Amino acid sequence: MPPTSTPLRGIALMVCATLCFALLDVTSKSLAKTFEVPLLVWIRYVVHCLFMVAVLGPRMGRNLLATRRPTRQIVRAVLLVCVTGFAMAAFRVMPLAETTAIIFVTPLLVALLAGPWLKEKVTPLRWAIIAVGFAGVLLIARPGDAINAEGIGWALACAGCYAVYQILTRQLSPTENTLTMLFYTALAGTVTMTLALPLFWGGPTPTLGQAGLMVTMGLWGGTGHLLLISAFRHAPATTLSPFLYVQLLWATTLGAIVFGHLPDSLAFTGMAIIAASGVALGLVERKRPRA
């Protein structure tokens, strides 16, 4: 469906989607102190899958599974499972805001990979923006009490998988239904993590409150993705892309409220540099001629 002329509605939906993703992150961080990350990933995708079946199943039926390139759909979906697991592992040992900022180098990695993979020309200006963005990562990743090598490694692994996931999304989106692509991510996450369930089953029994939080992870994820899709139906990607970085504000606010952590001045500077680099890269992409 082509975008309608309601950009303000699209922006509002995008801001709500980023809030859902930030709530997913803060919930997973809270639960990862007690429960194993693979178990949380499994619950997140099971609930997400059931949510999509309940919401979209009656309307779409078997069309939810209709695809011309099932192998690539599955690879893309498994990459998102890795993104979820790596992000939760990073949140477990690092503050919410700094981890979110490092993961947000994904657009810079996409720009790097687009050259050899999609045969897109990487101009000197794009190289400069990418270099500045990674300088922002260095400001966050410097040695400190709240930052450790393990967390940085998980966050960068998350960003790497997310970059490949986005490139595959670019390749699939011209011919595949958006909701079908979203359902494959939920289905693949459910199937792969269920098959691996015997490897990580066990640990403490969740309380009623903890079980409720586990369920909300899937609801936040599913709702966030549906809001994201709705946003792009009301406004073009070039309008909405800068508002993805509102998630950094949500992460900083929730990190302060829930965990009592505020980034220091250098970390704030690094986060601002990463966000500015992402927005600048989006503006450059907007002006780049399309085939």
Side-chain angles (χ1 to χ4, degrees), residues 46-60 64 183 219 226:
V46 167
V47 176
H48 185 174
C49 188
L50 293 175
F51 176 72
M52 290 203 66
V53 170
V55 173
L56 300 175
R59 176 161 60 93
M60 295 187 65
L64 271 176
F183 181 69
L219 297 179
L226 289 176

Side-chain angles (χ1 to χ4, degrees), residues 114-193:
W117 195 327
L118 300 178
K119 307 304 179 185
E120 295 180 2
K121 183 180 179 181
V122 182
T123 63
L125 179 58
R126 289 174 76 186
W127 278 115
I129 294 172
I130 292 167
V132 171
F134 280 109
V137 174
L138 294 178
L139 286 177
I140 297 173
R142 71 194 190 284
D145 293 337
I147 309 298
N148 62 61
E150 178 189 355
I152 294 168
W154 288 124
L156 290 175
C158 173
C161 289
Y162 202 17
V164 179
Y165 166 87
Q166 289 193 13
I167 288 179
L168 290 177
T169 301
R170 280 193 192 182
Q171 294 179 325
L172 287 168
S173 57
T175 60
E176 301 293 319
N177 183 288
T178 304
L179 293 176
T180 298
M181 293 169 65
L182 179 57
F183 181 69
Y184 265 93
T185 61
L187 182 62
T190 299
V191 172
T192 54
M193 297 310 295

Side-chain angles (χ1 to χ4, degrees), residues 234-254:
H234 291 281
T238 50
T239 299
L240 295 176
S241 293
F243 291 92
L244 282 168
Y245 292 90
V246 173
Q247 188 172 339
L248 284 174
L249 298 179
W250 293 129
T252 303
T253 303
L254 291 171

